[in-house]
Amino acid sequence: MAVGESLLQPAAKPAQGPGELGKPITSAAAWTASGAAAEQSKWVLELSPQQVDEILEATKHAASTGKPVQEVTRDDFPLPTLAPTLEAIRQSVLFGRGFQLIRGFPVDRLSRQEVILAYWGISLYWGHAALRQNAKGHVLSSVFLLSHRDEATSPSQVGHVKNITGSNNTFGVRVYLTSAAQPWHVDASDIVSLLSLKAARSGGRSGWASGASIYNRVLAERPDLLEELTKPVPYTRYGEINKGEKPYYEQPVINFYQGHFQIAVNDLVAGQSQQLPGIPRISDKQIEAIKYVAELANDPELHLEWDLQPGDIQLLNNWTNLHNRTEIDDHEDINERRHLLRIWRVSDDGQPLDPAYHNTTNPIGRRGIVLEGQQDTVPLEAE
């Protein structure tokens, strides 16, 4: 669908203090699947030929600066007519329903290096900083499926990958590098965006659920679990720590801070954390509450699903939405496998966050991965 007039109207920013624990959320963030389906034209943007041409021209201009991708700025990537639409999308993701899909990004008209530059450039319109996503300092990372058997046949693509098993049952292996289904979870930024380069043979369907609607259902159906969801849950750092830091961090599943609702959960990582020595124990009641959140997220009325095709971009507000991915049956040829690019962005006017959701070593105050001596990197291939 083409962009409608409604998309060009930025969502009104919520006033400070609109939410309170124990009271239902009535903002646009508390969406339902049926309601969102009826308004699909408001959250799906089909890029026009003119908009695609503008992206291609901006990519050429950015490339002509000679700057590394991570040093390219908005001034280096001018989008005079598309910029207002991208700002409306940003406003809707941060302050409205919390998600957006863009279709028709020109991945088939650009080299890999140009695709990365173009994706980086357009993402500059969604936030001022890109958070590092792992210990390698990736501010743009590949979500790509690899396994041990590939190491002998495709060393050029797999040389940088270690301890990848294709299973989500191995402690310390990030699920996004496997074919396993990803459970409902959040990432660690104001906005997470995914650009699809290649689709799987089957599976890998992307889903996202309204955290605000999940909270409303907990409040209405299981208020006895609400207190459990406000207690801190320990999560492993996967060894990505600085000297003196604990191997885990703690944050509540549900929280209101200065009136702003936040949700954060990942039952897989929480479960893996329990294998660490000396980590706080998760109580049986907390486990019940976390499982109930996942059960609600699986309710067809509280989540949407989409098969991301090459050129599709998905954007989500990490503080109000959960997301997941179904199991993948992928191609044998490593070069044909499902491949996504991911960027985490922080916005100057993003909602205030409880310190529990911060990374104290990150100077911009969001989580991300910040390690001593680490440099921002933008790899051309999956690592």
Side-chain angles (χ1 to χ4, degrees):
M1 296 184 185
V3 59
E5 289 298 319
S6 56
L7 180 59
L8 295 176
Q9 301 300 318
K13 294 184 181 181
Q16 285 292 90
E20 182 180 343
L21 185 66
K23 294 183 178 180
I25 297 172
T26 59
S27 70
W31 54 267
T32 61
S34 57
E39 298 184 325
Q40 184 168 307
S41 63
K42 295 182 179 180
W43 52 269
V44 177
L45 167 63
E46 292 274 2
L47 291 172
S48 69
Q50 294 77 17
Q51 290 170 329
V52 169
D53 287 343
E54 193 165 285
I55 292 171
L56 295 175
E57 285 300 314
T59 304
K60 289 181 182 179
H61 183 271
S64 71
T65 68
K67 294 181 179 180
V69 172
Q70 62 268 34
E71 295 180 11
V72 169
T73 67
R74 277 180 60 160
D75 289 341
D76 301 321
F77 203 88
L79 296 171
T81 66
L82 184 55
T85 298
L86 296 180
E87 173 59 21
I89 287 172
R90 188 188 75 88
Q91 293 277 334
S92 180
V93 171
L94 287 177
F95 308 114
R97 66 176 54 85
F99 62 88
Q100 181 74 31
L101 285 164
I102 299 174
R103 311 204 70 186
F105 195 81
V107 295
D108 58 343
R109 298 175 61 180
L110 298 167
S111 68
R112 173 62 57 79
Q113 186 168 2
E114 290 169 336
V115 165
I116 289 173
L117 178 57
Y119 180 38
W120 177 269
I122 198 172
S123 78
L124 292 166
Y125 290 80
W126 299 323
H128 74 279
L131 297 181
R132 297 167 185 162
Q133 301 173 30
N134 50 40
K136 297 177 182 179
H138 293 172
V139 289
L140 181 149
S141 69
S142 290
V143 182
F144 193 69
L145 305 182
L146 301 169
S147 65
H148 285 311
R149 66 181 176 181
D150 299 316
E151 293 180 2
T153 58
S154 301
S156 63
Q157 292 215 28
V158 193
H160 301 287
V161 179
K162 298 179 182 179
N163 299 322
I164 304 302
T165 67
S167 167
N168 68 343
N169 295 318
T170 302
F171 182 79
V173 175
R174 294 189 179 278
V175 185
Y176 72 80
L177 289 173
T178 77
S179 60
Q182 273 191 293
W184 292 104
H185 67 285
V186 300
D187 286 358
S189 60
D190 291 342
I191 294 176
V192 55
S193 65
L194 294 169
L195 167 62
S196 174
L197 302 183
K198 290 183 180 293
R201 178 165 54 191
S202 66
R205 192 170 176 84
S206 182
W208 59 98
S210 169
S213 290
I214 289 171
Y215 160 79
N216 285 345
R217 286 277 291 274
V218 172
L219 186 61
E221 299 173 3
R222 291 295 307 273
D224 60 302
L225 296 180
L226 193 57
E227 182 180 354
E228 300 302 321
L229 294 172
T230 64
K231 295 178 180 178
V233 176
Y235 293 95
T236 176
R237 294 183 185 272
Y238 287 108
E240 297 168 337
I241 56 177
N242 291 305
K243 184 178 179 180
E245 287 185 327
K246 295 179 180 178
Y248 65 90
Y249 61 93
E250 296 180 277
Q251 60 187 28
V253 175
I254 285 176
N255 187 45
F256 284 85
Y257 183 71
Q258 296 181 8
H260 292 269
F261 169 77
Q262 291 145 24
I263 187 168
V265 68
N266 188 323
D267 57 354
L268 172 65
V269 180
Q272 290 181 336
S273 297
Q274 295 297 284
Q275 301 178 42
L276 296 172
I279 199 168
R281 296 295 97 186
I282 303 175
S283 71
D284 291 342
K285 194 70 172 178
Q286 279 182 291
I287 293 173
E288 179 185 2
I290 291 171
K291 288 183 176 179
Y292 189 60
V293 167
E295 179 183 326
L296 290 176
N298 283 324
D299 186 327
E301 182 60 5
L302 297 189
H303 78 265
L304 294 169
E305 295 182 350
W306 197 274
D307 281 318
L308 294 174
Q309 297 301 308
D312 286 354
I313 297 177
Q314 173 184 304
L315 294 97
L316 293 175
N317 182 326
N318 262 314
W319 312 121
T320 61
N321 288 284
L322 308 178
H323 58 281
N324 75 348
R325 183 199 70 199
T326 63
E327 186 175 1
I328 297 170
D329 175 23
D330 222 332
H331 303 279
E332 291 297 320
D333 184 349
I334 192 171
N335 296 309
E336 297 302 319
R337 291 184 186 175
R338 181 180 187 267
H339 195 171
L340 307 179
L341 299 179
R342 179 178 63 195
I343 293 177
W344 289 348
R345 284 284 175 193
V346 170
S347 294
D348 289 324
D349 56 350
Q351 70 181 69
L353 295 178
D354 186 291
Y357 293 81
H358 285 203
N359 183 340
T360 56
T361 62
N362 191 338
I364 61 175
R366 264 34 179 181
R367 188 163 293 283
I369 307 298
V370 181
L371 301 178
E372 294 175 1
Q374 188 183 43
Q375 299 294 321
D376 291 348
T377 62
V378 180
L380 293 181
E381 299 291 349
E383 294 184 353

